[in-house]
Amino acid sequence: MFHRLRQLFDPYIALMLLVVAIAAILPARGQGAAIAGMAADGGIVFLFFLYGARLSPQAALGGLLQWPLHLCVLTSTFILFPLLGKALEYLSPASMPPEIVTGLMFLCVLPSTVQSSIAFTSIARGNVPAAICAASASNMLGVFISPLLAGWLLKTQGLELSFGIFRDITLQLLVPFLAGQVLRPWIGRWVETRKKLLGYADRGSILLIIYVAFSKGVVSHMWSQFELPDLLVLVVMLSVLLASVLIVTGFVARRILRFSLQDEIVLQFCGSKKSLASGLPMASILFAGPQVGIVVLPLMLFHQLQLIVCAILARHYASRREDIGANL
């Protein structure tokens, strides 16, 4: 029972909510905010260095023979999601805070997850090697593509990719990521053997980024314009977004491209997820003002929603595989 509840609700989400509550009661102010901000910037550098050290270029490139599958995953991640996000933007009520709409579009340009995409593919008995290739390629390309897509699609919300933003993206995201890739032959095994310890460290960095982001909103009274009905509407919009992607990717895999069930599973799980670990650091650079706390709210909610839905879907696929095996 406890294991099933844990599958549906990531305990890490509870820690995030606790950090948000702490930021609401004891936000970072003055010199404390400056120190916390510098620590968060250091955490961003550390996170992307680890991403570079963990992601194997061979894993991302090794599945080129399955290019239709990988192309579909990238299309879902960087084309289908933004198109659906634009549709939801036009349908969003006029009363919705613009920061929420910005956050919804920002969510749609992010890369896929790595760990959970592979984990759910494994649970569903899908093509795990292909999932590793697809998720790794999405994250590698996302470091470059996501900020550019965000700058292009969010111009109407006032986001302009100035020289300063490009500089920060380069120094805090690209340089550490590439440094991790360069050093991977020497430190890759060390990173792998300390995966659990480093996992605590990078999750701690994300919690610090959340604290700094929400503190800015509390200090500036940004949250006073956000009401409960807005939250309910946002949850509905995110549910529609996830359901639409799952329906489209499932239809394309089964009816158009006639993928095997194993490859269909890869497209469903790698093509429907968005990375919280990559998105929060990017948001803290792209949206440096007090609105960043509200901007990342859609991403945090979508993260939990995708875990719940994909846990259920993975068990469904696993049952189908068992039925197929029993009938052979």
Side-chain angles (χ1 to χ4, degrees), residues 33-116:
I35 294 173
M38 287 189 290
D41 290 343
I44 292 171
V45 172
F46 173 71
L47 280 171
F48 276 80
F49 176 78
L50 279 184
Y51 296 157
R54 286 171 178 163
L55 289 177
S56 167
Q58 291 80 10
L61 300 175
L64 288 179
L65 293 177
Q66 293 178 285
W67 64 266
L69 173 59
H70 302 314
L71 185 61
C72 283
V73 171
L74 294 175
T75 299
S76 176
T77 302
F78 296 117
I79 297 178
L80 176 60
F81 260 104
L83 289 175
L84 292 173
K86 272 296 180 184
L88 289 174
E89 178 185 2
Y90 289 124
L91 296 174
S92 62
S95 60
M96 181 74 74
E99 293 81 9
I100 289 293
V101 179
T102 298
L104 180 65
M105 285 305 306
F106 174 68
L107 157 72
C108 290
V109 303
L110 293 175
S112 179
T113 61
V114 176
Q115 289 92 339
S116 63

Side-chain angles (χ1 to χ4, degrees), residues 50-318:
L50 279 184
Y51 296 157
R54 286 171 178 163
L55 289 177
S56 167
Q58 291 80 10
L61 300 175
L64 288 179
L65 293 177
Q66 293 178 285
W67 64 266
L69 173 59
H70 302 314
L71 185 61
C72 283
V73 171
L74 294 175
T75 299
S76 176
T77 302
F78 296 117
I79 297 178
L80 176 60
F81 260 104
L83 289 175
L84 292 173
K86 272 296 180 184
L88 289 174
E89 178 185 2
Y90 289 124
L91 296 174
S92 62
S95 60
M96 181 74 74
E99 293 81 9
I100 289 293
V101 179
T102 298
L104 180 65
M105 285 305 306
F106 174 68
L107 157 72
C108 290
V109 303
L110 293 175
S112 179
T113 61
V114 176
Q115 289 92 339
S116 63
S117 292
I118 297 169
F120 282 125
T121 299
S122 177
I123 293 170
R125 301 184 182 182
N127 188 341
V128 174
I132 294 173
C133 296
S136 299
S138 175
N139 267 254
M140 286 182 171
L141 293 174
V143 176
F144 302 91
I145 294 175
S146 294
L148 295 176
L149 274 177
W152 178 46
L153 293 174
L154 295 176
K155 281 185 178 180
T156 56
Q157 277 84 26
L159 176 64
E160 295 287 346
L161 288 185
S162 64
F163 172 77
I165 290 179
F166 271 118
R167 179 198 61 213
D168 292 341
I169 289 172
T170 300
L171 293 178
Q172 292 184 255
L173 304 185
L174 296 182
V175 170
F177 180 84
L178 293 174
Q181 285 281 284
V182 170
L183 294 176
R184 177 179 166 78
W186 294 276
I187 67 172
R189 181 168 296 181
W190 183 88
V191 169
E192 287 298 318
T193 57
R194 289 160 178 82
K195 185 180 296 185
K196 187 173 183 179
L197 177 62
L198 292 174
Y200 289 133
D202 64 15
R203 288 191 168 202
S205 299
I206 291 173
L207 292 176
L208 178 59
I209 294 168
I210 292 173
Y211 174 73
V212 171
F214 278 82
S215 289
K216 290 179 181 179
V218 172
V219 170
S220 65
H221 307 288
M222 179 68 67
W223 290 97
S224 61
Q225 61 181 288
F226 189 77
E227 299 179 357
L228 181 59
D230 298 322
L231 179 62
L232 297 177
V233 172
L234 175 60
V235 171
V236 171
M237 293 173 69
L238 294 175
S239 301
V240 170
L241 177 64
L242 180 58
S244 300
V245 172
L246 287 172
I247 290 171
V248 170
T249 53
F251 178 80
V252 169
R254 292 186 208 115
R255 304 298 182 186
I256 298 180
L257 298 179
R258 306 286 182 178
F259 283 160
S260 66
L261 182 57
Q262 285 185 306
D263 288 348
E264 176 189 327
I265 290 169
V266 174
L267 179 55
Q268 288 268 270
F269 290 123
C270 295
S272 65
K273 289 199 177 53
K274 291 295 179 177
S275 175
L276 182 75
S278 297
L280 287 174
M282 286 185 191
S284 68
I285 297 173
L286 294 173
F287 311 99
Q291 77 273 18
V292 65
I294 298 182
V295 169
V296 300
L297 183 61
L299 174 59
M300 293 177 64
L301 292 175
F302 190 83
H303 175 76
Q304 180 60 29
L305 185 64
Q306 70 186 11
L307 290 178
I308 293 172
V309 173
C310 289
I312 296 171
L313 189 60
R315 289 198 295 271
H316 168 71
Y317 271 118

